[in-house]
Amino acid sequence: GESVGLHLPTLSVQEGDNSIINCAYSNSASDYFIWYKQESGKGPQFIIDIRSNMDKRQGQRVTVLLNKTVKHLSLQIAATQPGDSAVYFCAENQFYFGTGTSLTVIP
Amino acid sequence: GAGVSQSPRYKVAKRGQDVALRCDPISGHVSLFWYQQALGQGPEFLTYFQNEAQLDKSGLPSDRFFAERPEGSVSTLKIQRTQQEDSAVYLCASNPFPEAFFGQGTRLTVV
C-alpha cells in the first residue's frame, strides 16, 4: 500500500488554542485526502476532505491545507474544545489511513 | 437505522474457529468498505463493494478472509480458522463519495 504517515503521534493543547495536526503522504497521484476523528470505542467520523487540485478548504472551525510540492497535509482546528480530544487520521482516497495523532485538550 | 450498524459488537473466538461479522450500511449507500484496525493503529483497508460487486479485495490478508454482499445491502466478513493475529477491531463504512459513515466496529479477540 501507499505510505500515509503522521509527524507527531501525540499533541496536547490548551482549551481555546488552535491545533495543527500534520500528515505526510507519498502517492502524488491521489485524487483526494480525508481527515477523520476517532473517539475511544467509536468508528472514525468524517471531518473534511480536500481534492488534490485544491490548496485549502475550510469547514466549521477546521481548515485543511494541502501542499503538493512537499506532499504534506495539515488539519487546523480553531479554538480547540475538550470535545475535540480524539485520535485524528488522514486518509488517502478511501483506502490508506495514517497511524493517527492523539489530540488531548487541556481545560 | 440512521447509521451503519455492525454486529456483534464484541466477539471472542477460540483459535481455529470460524467467525462471521455483519455490517448493515445506511440504506441506499452504494459503496461499502471493510477495514481492520489493530490497537493504536489506523484502519487498514480490506475490501470494497459497489452494490453487490466486490471491486477490490487487495487488502484481505489471506485466503481465510472472505467478504460478500449478495444483495447489495448487508455485508458479511467471514474469517475462517481464526488465528491470534486476527484479533483487531473490524470496521465497516458506507458512503456517498467522499464522506464515509463508519459503524462502531466489531472487536474480535482470538484466544
Side-chain angles (χ1 to χ4, degrees), chain B residues 16-88:
Chain B
Q17 187 179 350
D18 296 350
V19 298
L21 313 180
R22 179 187 168 106
C23 173
D24 282 82
I26 294 173
S27 178
H29 281 190
V30 169
S31 300
L32 185 146
F33 296 80
W34 282 99
Y35 302 86
Q36 180 190 63
Q37 186 173 26
L39 189 64
Q41 300 294 317
E44 296 241 354
F45 168 77
L46 294 177
T47 187
Y48 159 57
F49 290 86
Q50 197 159 57
N51 294 309
E52 69 279 3
Q54 189 174 20
L55 299 186
D56 189 335
K57 55 181 181 180
S58 62
L60 296 176
S62 76
D63 58 9
R64 296 186 296 104
F65 287 71
F66 172 76
E68 61 183 4
R69 192 185 186 198
E71 297 178 359
S73 54
V74 172
S75 179
T76 304
L77 177 67
K78 297 180 179 178
I79 309 173
Q80 297 177 321
R81 305 182 302 282
T82 52
Q83 300 177 6
Q84 281 194 312
E85 61 261 32
D86 299 334
S87 295

Side-chain angles (χ1 to χ4, degrees), chain A residues 33-50:
Chain A
F33 302 88
I34 310 171
W35 281 101
Y36 291 95
K37 171 187 180 183
Q38 188 174 27
E39 297 173 284
S40 181
K42 297 184 179 180
Q45 178 185 0
F46 174 91
I47 301 173
I48 191 168
D49 70 293
I50 186 168

Side-chain angles (χ1 to χ4, degrees), chain A residues 28-99:
Chain A
S28 56
S30 295
D31 294 326
Y32 63 99
F33 302 88
I34 310 171
W35 281 101
Y36 291 95
K37 171 187 180 183
Q38 188 174 27
E39 297 173 284
S40 181
K42 297 184 179 180
Q45 178 185 0
F46 174 91
I47 301 173
I48 191 168
D49 70 293
I50 186 168
R51 288 279 191 176
S52 59
N53 61 357
M54 300 170 68
D55 297 321
K56 179 179 180 179
R57 189 165 187 217
Q58 288 185 293
Q60 188 176 13
R61 280 202 308 120
V62 295
T63 300
V64 56
L65 299 178
L66 176 62
N67 186 331
K68 292 179 285 293
T69 303
V70 294
K71 297 181 184 175
H72 182 269
L73 192 68
S74 68
L75 177 70
Q76 301 177 5
I77 304 173
T80 314
Q81 303 168 0
D84 295 328
S85 293
V87 177
Y88 289 81
F89 296 99
C90 66
E92 189 176 331
N93 295 330
Q94 190 79 37
F95 299 98
Y96 305 111
F97 281 71
T99 304

